[in-house]
């Protein structure tokens, strides 16, 4: 809940009737269809939806890397006109610059903005925050997946963002590392109070972290439902409420599945239900 | 479902046994890291082959069929050659001995002995064959074939001219290479970055770039005010082409996500060009630099012969004009050494600059 964290740093988000399309292989490809989402200052919003539905596209619009065909994107009350260090994006791949050490990667933002000298302390603090002080002088190629993603987080946090955009940041990590990083992400969010937009394909992850879960339809994405997660923190995956929400989201996602993927999801859901029974009994 | 993780197995090792275990691991890793094994028979044979070369040079009488000029030249350098033969043998015996020393010196000597032994033997056998086929038996006849002593004789006798030529060559090469490198980097970055620049420059690059240096000679030395600037132009052009092509290719292949990340962190165009594109393109640029270095030697020797009239390329041709083949070989020896050293230096620079590519040990 928002009340948990300091509310000073976050910025509210308003996505108003955004439609986005690409031309791909000579054909028009509608990706976002009249999407409207708002987030309060300091809110943690999770986006979930079928792959290829347009979640990353929406994050790129928020980051200011692309412009929507129609509709408006506001952050902190001002229209988004381009990329800004107050709205960094963390990808599924850490995308550390491989020729820079971990510390130099964290320093990219300050250096690009010409405030490297004044930012030494902040850089060290960011490294400390994600527990990479010891590896500050390592090359990215020497890091494990989890450490690389931590470095990417430190790099995004060093500029004290008001909105943190996370595009499946934990998607490629093993289950154990993912759990650890979910916890770290949560405490960073509480400490810093930024507004977080997390794209994930993991329903439990969304419910574990977010204040609200927005479920997308398949491409072109529309908002199927925005679900308030009225669960206390820290959250417990074994509660009845948690699993009810989880099943609800899975049902929305399943209803949209057609074609060859349907069987697989149905099976996954079946297994999920078995899990639930085990838990509930 | 509350999953419980298995507790991390507590180490029950006592301090003493764990240090001996870590010593064992260290040794095993050492063996993997430095698999160098010295082959005693090969390095012994190698050292002996150089002793044999020294003895043969000194004590087997020279062929009586040698022309007077060659005979004198061989005669005057024989003692020195014998010393060289013994010196090579002694140096390698010393390195071999040092390989049993511990520490970095020992490790270095072990690597040298293990790597160099076969070459030592091969070179020694070659030197023996060379010595016999020329000075001793006169099987390969002068003036086209010359004994090793004669080359040493010329290297020493012409040391003044050779040093001057070497200095001239290096200076011309350095200036031409530097101009070509800077021009190539600027062109490559510009056309890799700007579609409009690429539209105009790329066709020119494709047509002008591959024209061989020799074909530029008539134009270069007429259009440019001095022969020297013409030569710089020729060398710079042959450097410019591969550097430009590979800088452009490197920049075009930079992943878009690098730019996305840098931009969301506040980077503007200059940062993206100089701090993202250029470093990301460095591996490709170094490939270009190796190609450029190779072709710059070609243009250097051509330029030296067609206008500059100084330098090693010129020296070699000048000696050939006089029919002085030992002199030609002496010039070639210096040129070969220069090319090898410069290439090695470039390799070292590359390995240092791109060390982030290599050091893949994970924590
Ligand atoms: N720049 C682009 N050009 C053409 N098609 C694109 C572009 N970016 C995304 N797409 C397409 O838009 C669709 C949605 O992509 P994306 O937002 O990445 O989905 P996801 O929800 O999996 O993150 C995909 O079909 C993708 O191929
Ligand atoms: Mg995506």
């Amino acid at each position: 809940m928002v009340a948990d964290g300091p509310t000073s740093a976050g910025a509210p988000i308003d996505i108003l009737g955004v439609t986005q399309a690409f031309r791909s292989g000579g054909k028009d490809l509608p990706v976002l269809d009249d999407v409207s989402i708002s987030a309060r200052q300091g809110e943690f919003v999770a986006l979930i939806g079928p792959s290829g539905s347009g979640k990353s596209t929406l994050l790129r619009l928020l980051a200011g890397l692309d412009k929507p065909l129609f509709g408006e994107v506001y952050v902190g009350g001002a229209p988004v006109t381009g990329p800004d260090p107050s709205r960094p994006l963390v990808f599924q791949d850490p995308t550390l610059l491989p020729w820079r050490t971990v510390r130099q990667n964290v320093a990219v933002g300050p250096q690009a903005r010409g405030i490297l000298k004044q930012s030494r302390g902040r850089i060290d603090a960011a490294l400390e925050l994600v527990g990479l002080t010891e590896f500050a002088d390592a090359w990215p190629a020497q890091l494990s997946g989890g450490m690389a993603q931590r470095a990417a987080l430190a790099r995004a946090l060093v500029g004290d963002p008001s909105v943190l955009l996370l595009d499946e940041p934990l998607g490629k990590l093993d289950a154990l590392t993912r759990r650890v990083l979910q916890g770290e992400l949560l405490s960073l969010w509480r400490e810093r109070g930024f507004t977080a937009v997390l794209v994930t394909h993991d329903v439990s992850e969304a419910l574990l972290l977010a204040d609200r879960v927005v479920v997308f339809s398949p491409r072109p994405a529309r908002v199927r439902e925005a679900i308030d997660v009225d669960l206390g923190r820290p959250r417990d995956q074994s509660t009845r409420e948690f699993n009810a929400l989880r099943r609800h989201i899975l049902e929305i996602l399943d209803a949209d599945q057609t074609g060859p993927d349907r069987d697989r999801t149905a099976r996954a859901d079946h297994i999920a239900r078995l899990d639930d029974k085990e838990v509930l009994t | 479902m509350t999953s419980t993780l298995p507790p991390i197995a507590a180490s029950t090792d006592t301090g003493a046994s764990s240090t001996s275990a870590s010593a064992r691991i260290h040794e095993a890793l050492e063996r993997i890291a430095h698999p160098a094994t010295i082959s005693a028979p090969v390095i012994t044979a190698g050292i002996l082959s150089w002793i044999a070369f020294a003895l043969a040079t000194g004590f087997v009488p020279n062929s009586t069929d040698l022309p007077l000029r060659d005979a004198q030249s061989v005669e005057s350098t024989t003692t020195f050659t014998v010393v060289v033969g013994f010196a090579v043998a002694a140096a390698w015996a010393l390195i071999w001995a040092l390989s049993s020393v511990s520490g970095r010196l020992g490790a270095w000597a072990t690597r040298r002995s293990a790597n160099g032994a076969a070459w030592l033997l091969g070179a020694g056998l070659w030197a023996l064959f060379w010595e016999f086929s020329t000075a001793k038996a006169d099987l390969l006849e002068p003036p086209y074939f010359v004994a090793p002593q004669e080359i040493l004789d010329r290297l020493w006798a012409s040391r003044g001219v050779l040093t001057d030529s070497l200095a001239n060559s290096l200076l011309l090469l350095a200036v031409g290479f530097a101009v070509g490198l800077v021009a190539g980097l600027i062109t490559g970055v510009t056309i890799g970055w700007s579609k409009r620049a690429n539209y105009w420059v790329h066709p020119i690059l494709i047509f002008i770039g591959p024209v061989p240096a020799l074909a530029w000679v008539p134009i270069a030395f007429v259009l440019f005010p001095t022969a020297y600037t013409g030569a710089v132009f020729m060398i710079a052009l042959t450097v410019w082409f591969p550097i430009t092509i590979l800088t452009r290719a490197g920049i075009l292949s930079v992943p878009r996500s690098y730019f996305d990340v840098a931009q969301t962190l506040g980077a503007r165009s200059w940062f993206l060009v100089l701090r993202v594109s250029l470093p990301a393109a460095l591996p490709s640029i170094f490939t270009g630099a190796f190609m450029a270095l190779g072709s710059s030697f070609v243009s250097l020797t051509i330029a030296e012969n067609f206008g500059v009239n100084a330098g090693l390329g010129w020296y070699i041709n000048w000696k050939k004009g006089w029919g002085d083949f030992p002199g030609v070989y002496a010039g070639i020896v210096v040129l070969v050494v220069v090319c090898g050293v410069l290439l090695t230096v470039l390799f070292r620079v590359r390995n240092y600059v791109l060390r982030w590519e290599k050091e893949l040990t994970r924590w």
Side-chain angles (χ1 to χ4, degrees):
Chain A
M1 296 210 159
V2 195
D4 287 353
T7 49
S8 57
I13 295 173
D14 288 292
I15 299 167
L16 303 176
V18 160
T19 293
Q20 180 72 320
F22 296 107
R23 180 152 293 168
S24 142
K27 281 193 203 147
D28 293 351
L29 184 77
V31 175
L32 298 175
D33 181 14
D34 194 16
V35 171
S36 297
I37 300 172
S38 292
R40 279 165 289 137
Q41 182 178 44
E43 192 177 15
F44 200 130
V45 177
L47 294 182
I48 204 159
S51 87
S53 59
K55 305 180 294 292
S56 301
T57 304
L58 188 71
L59 282 199
R60 290 181 64 84
L61 295 178
L62 279 170
L65 289 169
D66 291 326
K67 286 196 173 57
L69 278 186
F70 303 106
E72 270 126 300
V73 180
Y74 293 93
V75 171
V80 170
T81 53
D84 191 276
S86 68
R87 282 177 273 115
L89 182 52
V90 177
F91 297 98
Q92 184 173 28
D93 286 311
T95 33
L96 299 173
L97 304 179
W99 58 90
R100 287 172 161 252
T101 62
V102 170
R103 185 195 304 280
Q104 289 166 343
N105 264 287
V106 174
V108 163
Q111 191 183 20
R113 292 148 65 196
I115 51 167
L116 186 57
K117 280 231 177 68
Q118 307 91 290
S119 305
R120 294 277 171 217
R122 302 182 64 91
I123 293 165
D124 286 336
L127 285 166
E128 175 96 52
L129 199 63
V130 297
L132 280 179
T133 307
E134 212 184 315
F135 299 98
D137 296 317
W139 301 108
Q142 297 173 303
L143 301 182
S144 70
M147 288 200 285
Q149 203 54 276
R150 281 203 185 101
L153 267 177
R155 182 173 63 178
L157 291 174
V158 77
D160 218 355
S162 56
V163 173
L164 186 61
L165 305 168
L166 302 150
D167 194 352
E168 305 191 29
L170 312 180
K172 275 193 178 167
L173 302 177
D174 62 277
L176 214 58
T177 313
R178 190 180 323 162
R179 261 180 56 176
V180 173
L181 279 184
Q182 281 166 355
E184 291 182 9
L185 200 55
L186 209 51
S187 51
L188 286 174
W189 167 70
R190 286 187 194 204
E191 234 169 81
R192 300 300 197 89
F194 48 76
T195 309
V197 182
L198 168 76
V199 167
T200 176
H201 53 240
D202 180 344
V203 179
S204 302
E205 180 171 283
L207 289 173
L208 214 48
L209 301 179
D211 296 317
R212 204 144 50 92
V213 178
V214 177
V215 185
F216 272 9
S217 73
R219 190 186 61 236
R222 308 175 127 268
V223 176
R224 273 275 178 269
E225 199 172 327
I227 297 146
D228 283 316
V229 187
D230 270 330
L231 303 173
R233 297 177 187 272
R235 287 184 181 158
D236 184 354
Q237 298 200 42
S238 62
T239 61
R240 192 177 292 271
E241 293 86 344
F242 191 97
N243 280 287
L245 281 173
R246 189 157 79 113
R247 195 158 327 135
H248 178 59
I249 293 172
L250 283 170
E251 269 161 14
I252 304 172
L253 290 170
D254 277 354
D256 277 330
Q257 291 293 324
T258 50
D261 268 358
R262 191 182 178 106
D263 279 351
R264 213 185 313 141
T265 331
R267 250 198 323 278
D269 188 39
H270 180 63
I271 292 166
R273 274 156 216 258
L274 287 182
D275 266 8
D276 293 351
K277 278 202 196 95
E278 219 176 276
V279 167
L280 294 174
T281 48
Chain B
M1 176 166 54
T2 45
S3 55
T4 49
L5 303 174
I8 293 164
S11 168
T12 50
D13 276 347
T14 63
S17 80
S18 83
T19 54
S20 87
S22 70
R24 248 181 57 223
I25 289 170
H26 181 75
E27 252 172 53
L29 286 177
E30 262 313 289
R31 272 198 301 280
I32 295 168
H34 307 290
T37 48
I38 303 170
S39 162
V42 175
I43 198 162
T44 311
I47 291 168
L48 288 179
S49 70
W50 281 93
I51 293 173
F53 167 75
L55 294 175
T57 307
F59 300 106
V60 177
N62 291 324
S63 164
T64 48
D65 295 340
L66 284 179
L68 185 60
R69 198 169 81 166
D70 295 280
Q72 280 175 344
S73 174
V74 167
E75 203 64 47
S76 68
T77 334
T78 293
T79 316
F80 180 68
T81 312
V82 171
V83 171
V84 168
F86 280 127
V88 171
W92 278 90
L94 181 65
I95 291 174
W96 190 17
L98 283 176
S99 68
S100 56
V101 173
S102 65
R104 284 179 60 170
L105 180 65
W108 172 82
T110 307
R111 258 197 333 272
R112 280 273 150 250
S113 310
N115 281 336
W119 261 102
L120 178 69
L121 176 59
L125 292 178
W126 162 252
L128 260 176
F129 165 75
W130 184 8
E131 179 65 28
F132 269 98
S133 58
T134 52
K136 303 305 176 190
D138 201 23
L139 295 174
L140 304 173
E141 283 173 23
Y144 303 117
F145 295 97
V146 303
Q149 289 99 312
E150 291 180 77
I151 296 180
L152 289 174
D153 182 39
R154 253 348 157 274
L155 280 173
W156 182 248
S158 311
R159 59 189 181 280
V161 191
L162 275 173
T163 316
D164 282 351
S165 302
L166 175 64
N168 280 326
S169 286
L170 285 180
L171 183 65
L172 181 54
L173 188 70
V175 174
F177 197 91
V179 171
L181 180 68
V182 171
L185 286 174
I186 291 174
T187 319
V189 169
T190 311
I191 66 179
W193 195 255
S194 146
K195 288 221 170 71
R196 180 173 291 262
N198 186 53
Y199 173 82
W200 286 104
V201 177
H202 196 241
I204 299 175
L205 183 72
I206 293 298
F207 284 100
I208 302 280
V211 175
L214 197 53
W216 284 106
V217 166
I219 303 166
F221 291 116
V222 170
L223 284 190
F224 281 82
T226 62
Y228 203 82
T229 49
V232 169
F233 166 75
M234 277 175 56
I235 297 168
L237 196 67
T238 49
V239 171
W240 171 77
F241 177 57
I243 296 280
T244 304
I245 290 277
L246 279 138
T247 303
R248 173 179 177 272
I251 283 185
L252 288 180
S253 65
V254 179
R256 189 176 73 146
S257 53
Y258 288 178
F259 297 122
D260 289 345
V261 160
Q263 275 180 295
T264 62
L265 292 169
R268 314 228 163 249
S269 305
W270 276 113
F271 192 91
L272 297 181
V273 173
L274 295 179
R275 302 252 175 209
V276 180
S277 287
L278 207 54
L282 269 182
S284 178
I285 293 173
F286 268 103
T287 309
F290 281 108
M291 294 166 59
L293 191 62
S295 50
S296 71
F297 292 140
V298 178
S299 348
L300 174 72
T301 43
I302 290 175
E304 285 177 344
N305 280 305
F306 285 95
V308 178
N309 296 334
L312 289 170
W314 165 82
Y315 175 88
I316 291 167
N317 244 339
W318 177 59
K319 284 295 178 185
K320 182 181 153 259
W322 288 100
D324 179 8
F325 281 89
V328 171
Y329 287 125
I332 290 175
V333 165
V334 177
L335 195 59
V336 164
V337 169
V338 168
C339 293
V341 167
L342 290 180
L343 209 60
T344 311
V345 167
L346 187 56
F347 258 112
R348 291 274 163 90
V349 171
R350 191 205 96 98
N351 286 348
Y352 177 74
V353 173
L354 300 185
R355 62 198 182 287
W356 50 270
E357 254 192 345
K358 276 182 53 184
E359 286 178 35
L360 287 172
T361 27
R362 280 166 197 284
W363 266 299

